[in-house]
Amino acid sequence: MMELWMNKSNQTLPALSAEQTAVMEQLASRLTGASYDRNLFSLSVRFSAEAAAHINAAQHPVIVAGYSSVRAQAGDALSRLAEDVHIPVIYTDKAKGIIPCDHRYAVCTLGASEECQKLIDSADFILALDTAAELWELHASCPVMYLENTQEETSCTLVEALGRIRSLCHQKSFPNTAVHTGEELFRRDMAFGRNLAFPMCPEKVLFDVRYCLALDDILITDASAAEDHVMSYYDCYQPETCLFTRSHGTAVIGAAAAKLAKPDKHVLAVTDPAGLSRSDFDMMQQLNAPAAVLVLYRPEQTPELSGFGVPVLSVSSAVQLIPSLQRALRSDRPCIISCPANI
């Protein structure tokens, strides 16, 4: 990532903290595909047979996909397995988009809703597509089968393993409440989109954001008040298009990293007023990595956003957010969209 900075600017760049540097390095690695490896896992040939046997014996199996399934490029194989065998899929925040959100068996982000936890609580077997260390936040009372590398000479990749599991499994039956259809998701989103209350509800904000961003554009948020809403309500159709920095005040610097890694994509950061720093915007401009920054704040707040050296577009009604987002995303300069919301 440091090479990207040096190639982009001959000026002295603002000093970054170790935390900011780590965020930029991590996002650059993810978005350039440097960490992708179809051979990430060498799974025992017995893995597929054992997983299929557990699924066939279970009444309510569930798949939980972690980021390793993204790195192993297993999204298509996972989608086919879920569709053919009728298994609901929960994904971690880093794996959001591993299968499209409108896939019949894509449920939600782990930890983002009561529906998700109820599904885990009612499961009698969970196939965890990651290591136990990476899925430490998965708390289940049923048996869980994690991914583990083998030293055996004969092994298979995760994509191959999922294909074999699909061929060995019987089709399961689930109540309709366990899954959604694309039509149901569309109706839910349309209900959000018709809500013109102001200050805006977070569901409406994210509906408008989804409308303005292409499916392969990038949304980045930090540990601000918006984070949980993004996890729950931002629809993702591809992996690595919704990124969580997990550290407050790093959304803008993360957006700069994303724009450097994907200069042909629109990048939108979502944060709150406390997550802004003049030096981050200075760096974004020096690197010629313009991204839009949506700043959400509670209605009782009146943040001063004019001191960051970039244009500020103020939203004063629900119908103004989409044109403001579109204008900011088309700009060749960093731009702030200021929007009160009930977050």
Side-chain angles (χ1 to χ4, degrees):
M1 188 69 203
M2 193 66 71
E3 292 177 359
L4 274 176
W5 302 344
M6 297 305 295
N7 290 339
K8 283 282 186 177
S9 176
N10 292 320
Q11 305 178 58
T12 301
L13 300 178
L16 293 179
S17 68
E19 183 179 51
Q20 289 175 316
T21 301
V23 167
M24 293 193 79
E25 296 280 2
Q26 181 189 62
L27 292 183
S29 175
R30 289 179 61 176
L31 292 172
T32 57
S35 62
Y36 282 18
D37 182 5
R38 280 184 173 269
N39 298 310
L40 180 67
F41 287 101
S42 296
L43 301 171
S44 168
V45 292
R46 296 187 302 276
F47 174 85
S48 299
E50 292 174 4
H54 282 295
I55 291 171
N56 288 334
Q59 294 297 311
H60 302 289
V62 171
I63 295 174
V64 177
Y67 184 57
S68 290
S69 58
V70 176
R71 292 182 60 201
Q73 300 173 282
D76 289 344
L78 173 57
S79 294
R80 290 192 294 270
L81 171 61
E83 182 67 33
D84 289 358
V85 187
H86 297 181
I87 304 181
V89 177
I90 295 168
Y91 34 82
T92 64
D93 57 352
K94 291 180 72 173
K96 197 172 172 71
I98 180 67
I99 63 174
C101 63
D102 58 353
H103 187 290
R104 180 169 175 79
Y105 291 95
V107 180
C108 59
T109 310
L110 182 63
S113 70
E114 290 184 4
E115 177 190 25
C116 173
Q117 191 56 50
K118 286 179 180 178
L119 200 57
I120 290 175
D121 291 343
S122 64
D124 51 3
F125 172 70
I126 293 177
L127 176 60
L129 301 185
D130 214 324
T131 64
E134 288 296 322
L135 287 177
W136 57 270
E137 72 269 46
L138 174 60
H139 302 292
S141 57
C142 65
V144 180
M145 189 171 180
Y146 294 95
L147 300 184
E148 293 183 4
N149 278 312
T150 181
Q151 301 300 317
E152 297 175 6
E153 291 186 8
T154 304
S155 61
C156 62
T157 67
L158 178 57
V159 170
E160 292 168 340
L162 293 178
R164 291 174 182 174
I165 293 171
R166 181 166 63 96
S167 68
L168 294 170
C169 279
H170 311 311
Q171 195 175 83
K172 313 300 289 189
S173 297
F174 291 98
N176 291 334
T177 53
V179 295
H180 61 253
T181 64
E183 183 179 351
E184 290 167 344
L185 186 65
F186 178 80
R187 287 200 299 267
R188 184 205 73 176
D189 287 349
M190 287 300 102
F192 292 157
R194 288 191 294 268
N195 186 348
L196 298 181
F198 194 82
M200 299 173 70
C201 68
E203 295 91 341
K204 166 63 172 170
V205 170
L206 293 169
F207 173 88
D208 288 358
V209 168
R210 178 69 281 172
Y211 177 85
C212 293
L213 292 177
L215 299 187
D216 56 354
D217 285 337
I218 299 167
L219 173 71
I220 294 181
T221 190
D222 56 13
S224 64
E227 182 184 55
D228 287 345
H229 300 296
V230 173
M231 286 180 62
S232 298
Y233 298 114
Y234 184 67
D235 294 338
C236 246
Y237 296 83
Q238 299 179 22
E240 308 287 39
T241 57
C242 181
L243 307 175
F244 300 84
T245 68
R246 289 304 191 197
S247 177
H248 192 221
T250 55
V252 175
I253 203 73
K259 193 64 178 177
L260 289 178
K262 297 285 187 179
D264 58 328
K265 306 301 179 188
H266 291 311
V267 177
L268 177 69
V270 180
T271 187
D272 57 26
L276 303 180
S277 165
R278 174 63 187 259
S279 63
D280 291 349
F281 284 103
D282 289 344
M283 171 174 282
M284 189 180 282
Q285 294 189 85
Q286 291 176 34
L287 293 172
N288 191 26
V293 180
L294 176 59
V295 180
L296 302 177
Y297 54 90
R298 293 182 178 86
E300 64 271 16
Q301 295 178 295
T302 54
E304 175 54 58
L305 301 176
S306 62
F308 295 102
V310 299
V312 178
L313 304 177
S314 296
V315 175
S316 56
S317 72
V319 297
Q320 291 181 351
L321 181 56
I322 286 178
S324 297
L325 285 166
Q326 291 173 330
R327 179 180 170 187
L329 291 166
R330 287 195 301 262
S331 176
D332 59 1
R333 293 185 58 195
C335 190
I336 292 173
I337 306 102
S338 169
C339 182
N342 292 312
I343 56 175

